Amino acid sequence: AELKTPLPHAAGSLADTYGDFQRLVQPYIAGNIHPRFMGWVQGGGNPVGVLAEMLAATLNANLGGRDHAPIEVEREVIRWSAEMLGFPTTTTGVLVTGTSVANLIALLVARTQAMGAGVRKEGLAGHKLVAYTSPATHNCVLRAMDMAGLGTQALRLIPLDEHHKISLVELAAAVRRDREAGLQPFLVIGTAGTVDTGAVDDLTGIARFCQQESLWFHVDAAFGALAMLSPAQRPLLAGIEAADSVAFDFHKWAQVPYDAGCVLVRDGVKHAAAFATHVNYLHRETRGLAAGHPWPTDYGPDLSRGFRALKVWMTFKVYGADKLGQIVAQCCDLAQRLAARVEREPELELLSAVTLNVVCFRFTASSQELDRLNTDIAIDLQESGIAVPSTTKVDGKQAIRAAIVNHRTTAEDIDILLDAVIAAGRRLDGYTSTGNRLNPATADEPQ
Ligand SMILES: *Cc1c(COP(=O)(O)O)cnc(C)c1O
């Protein structure tokens, strides 16, 4: 309520405004800089990124295009990204808000390849395109189908196999069926690190299939991509280097402050074919500020763009890719520790195998309806401020979900989370910590 004021017409004092920030904003953040924030998949940020954001704001660079050093920094970040993923030197890319937009851009490139450049003029009328992914796909992939005008119905959700990976047998059958029905399969989207369980699709298998069937192979590697920097996890992503495009975030596992997502396209000519246009007021020259063709605006929907690349560039230069890889490994080790303790605790149940950094489990020692109870446990922990897990469904069961992304998280944080889950489960179930049932009327009181 205090934030709601009329438009401030008169000048105010910077000191008072900073005071308002400290009083009204800073204490009430979601908390993803905290080591026990494990909800959704959110990065922890880093101090070099803080400095980079201030430097970027000072330069106030506009990276839509033109010939200046900030654009070269972004190109360097794209080259590093291509190197990280094993992509060739033909790769182009662009930094965007996040993987949601990066997935949309890749989908539009694939669409233009499938329908020809004419689609950009003529539109999609009567299109027969069909895309394929698994039900574990992120919702932004459905939104991308919607926003690209293809419709979410044109996205086939191929069932998962027993390892929570897209079933290649079902994928092949669906593509065959759609071709027989006169439709035009054009795109398969693999996931490297699903939001629900952190599972990684068989990227090599999908790549081979897409090659045989002449389909575009895109990988949503929003957080998973950074596992390429960890020798222990890298083999899980085998096949990503064969993708036509990859979308991922620096603001998750690379610890870069929000927002910083990235799309890479293996064949830069195809990338530009989906976005480049010519208008007189953005005409390119070979000298002067209008040089430096192609421009980032040729690779995505934005014209004016901020200097996101600086915080990525500085984070990699100061900490080094090896250190970021060690953080990935550390998060995965902590996830294994969490899973092992869940399996030791008789009141808890592990709901899926741990591939990377996501652990899904639930409190089961209760006579209550478990889906509701586990939702309430997660909310209680969030409100308590002790730790932040989120929730999801795994095989139809409501799971408490911890995604360990933050470089500050330690083994002690894992133990505090689990102790708090067990305590909340017992309390919400009406038991004291010694296992005695409380009077339901007093069950809500603090112990
Ligand atoms: C986080 C995430 C997204 C969305 O990325 P944003 O950066 O939030 O736009 C997409 N896919 C997966 C697998 C994710 O984890």
Side-chain angles (χ1 to χ4, degrees):
E2 270 199 71
L3 278 171
K4 285 202 184 111
T5 68
L7 177 67
H9 283 280
S13 109
L14 177 58
D16 287 352
T17 305
Y18 182 55
D20 285 348
F21 167 80
Q22 287 184 303
R23 197 168 52 86
L24 299 175
V25 181
Q26 200 172 343
Y28 307 109
I29 55 172
N32 52 299
I33 52 179
H34 192 281
R36 286 194 294 280
F37 188 101
M38 301 170 196
W40 303 276
V41 186
Q42 297 200 15
N46 80 76
V48 170
V50 176
L51 178 61
E53 286 283 65
M54 198 168 82
L55 295 173
T58 307
L59 298 182
N60 196 27
N62 180 342
L63 279 81
R66 292 157 291 265
D67 200 9
H68 49 125
I71 299 246
E72 296 302 334
V73 173
E74 180 157 342
R75 289 187 179 130
E76 178 75 337
V77 167
I78 297 298
R79 277 191 297 270
W80 288 349
S81 303
E83 188 180 329
M84 174 176 88
L85 292 175
F87 265 45
T89 52
T90 53
T91 302
T92 51
V94 70
L95 297 187
V96 289
T97 44
T99 293
S100 301
V101 169
N103 279 331
L104 173 62
I105 289 174
L107 195 147
L108 290 170
V109 175
R111 179 208 67 173
T112 302
Q113 283 308 303
M115 296 190 72
V119 65
R120 294 181 60 192
K121 198 167 157 191
E122 291 143 25
L124 286 163
H127 88 85
K128 295 191 167 153
L129 297 183
V130 198
Y132 305 82
T133 190
S134 88
T137 196
H138 193 279
N139 182 49
C140 68
V141 171
L142 285 116
R143 295 182 68 201
M145 289 294 288
D146 161 6
M147 290 187 283
L150 300 173
T152 53
Q153 278 181 6
L155 182 68
R156 304 271 184 267
L157 299 180
I158 305 302
L160 296 169
D161 65 17
E162 68 276 21
H163 307 295
H164 288 102
K165 297 169 193 261
I166 190 169
S167 159
L168 293 179
V169 177
E170 301 269 6
L171 173 64
V175 169
R176 200 176 333 111
R177 267 197 310 276
D178 285 331
R179 286 206 204 279
E180 281 165 11
L183 298 171
Q184 188 186 350
F186 79 113
L187 165 68
V188 180
I189 300 163
T191 312
T194 64
V195 265
D196 285 338
T197 66
V200 180
D201 283 332
D202 173 1
L203 303 179
T204 306
I206 300 176
R208 201 178 304 124
F209 177 73
C210 287
Q211 182 91 44
Q212 282 161 10
E213 297 282 332
S214 301
L215 301 171
W216 188 275
F217 174 30
H218 173 69
V219 180
D220 176 348
F223 61 95
L226 270 289
M228 290 299 278
L229 298 180
S230 168
Q233 276 73 39
R234 190 183 304 137
L236 293 167
L237 272 67
I240 198 168
E241 72 289 345
D244 293 297
S245 54
V246 176
F248 67 98
D249 283 320
F250 291 107
H251 58 217
K252 288 177 176 170
W253 238 347
Q255 315 294 334
V256 172
Y258 283 88
D259 50 24
C262 182
V263 60
L264 292 185
V265 179
R266 160 178 234 91
D267 181 340
V269 174
K270 293 178 180 168
H271 191 177
F275 292 100
T277 49
H278 178 79
V279 287
N280 289 334
Y281 54 85
L282 296 176
H283 187 69
R284 316 299 161 85
E285 301 291 349
T286 52
R287 296 189 297 126
L289 267 179
H293 173 82
W295 292 354
T297 190
D298 300 326
Y299 296 124
D302 293 312
L303 179 55
S304 293
R305 311 165 59 248
F307 196 2
R308 281 190 191 101
L310 187 63
K311 59 193 172 186
V312 182
W313 187 71
M314 287 183 65
T315 296
F316 271 92
K317 280 175 79 78
V318 174
Y319 297 106
D322 292 352
K323 177 69 186 178
L324 296 178
Q326 282 160 23
I327 292 167
V328 165
Q330 173 183 312
C331 291
C332 293
D333 288 350
L334 289 171
Q336 293 296 343
R337 180 191 169 96
L338 174 53
R341 222 197 116 186
V342 165
E343 293 202 293
R344 278 199 311 275
E345 293 289 347
E347 293 160 283
L348 301 178
E349 177 191 8
L350 189 67
L351 290 179
S352 70
V354 175
T355 311
L356 288 169
N357 57 337
V358 179
V359 185
C360 291
F361 61 101
R362 62 177 185 166
F363 186 84
T364 54
S366 169
S367 51
Q368 297 188 18
E369 205 259 304
L370 290 182
D371 284 358
R372 186 67 243 164
L373 176 67
N374 281 282
T375 305
D376 288 343
I377 292 172
I379 295 172
D380 262 32
L381 259 60
Q382 292 169 8
E383 289 181 341
S384 73
I386 295 171
V388 173
S390 58
T391 59
T392 192
K393 287 257 192 234
V394 177
D395 301 327
K397 296 170 187 161
Q398 185 73 350
I400 297 173
R401 176 180 164 290
I404 299 149
V405 188
N406 192 322
H407 56 96
R408 304 176 187 95
T409 306
T410 64
E412 194 192 356
D413 295 311
I414 297 297
D415 289 340
I416 292 171
L417 166 78
L418 268 192
D419 291 344
V421 165
I422 293 169
R426 288 174 181 166
R427 184 167 43 77
L428 289 166
D429 188 42
Y431 280 83
T432 64
S433 54
T434 53
N436 298 317
R437 186 169 276 286
L438 289 170
N439 176 344
T442 62
D444 279 337
E445 285 172 16
Q447 294 168 24

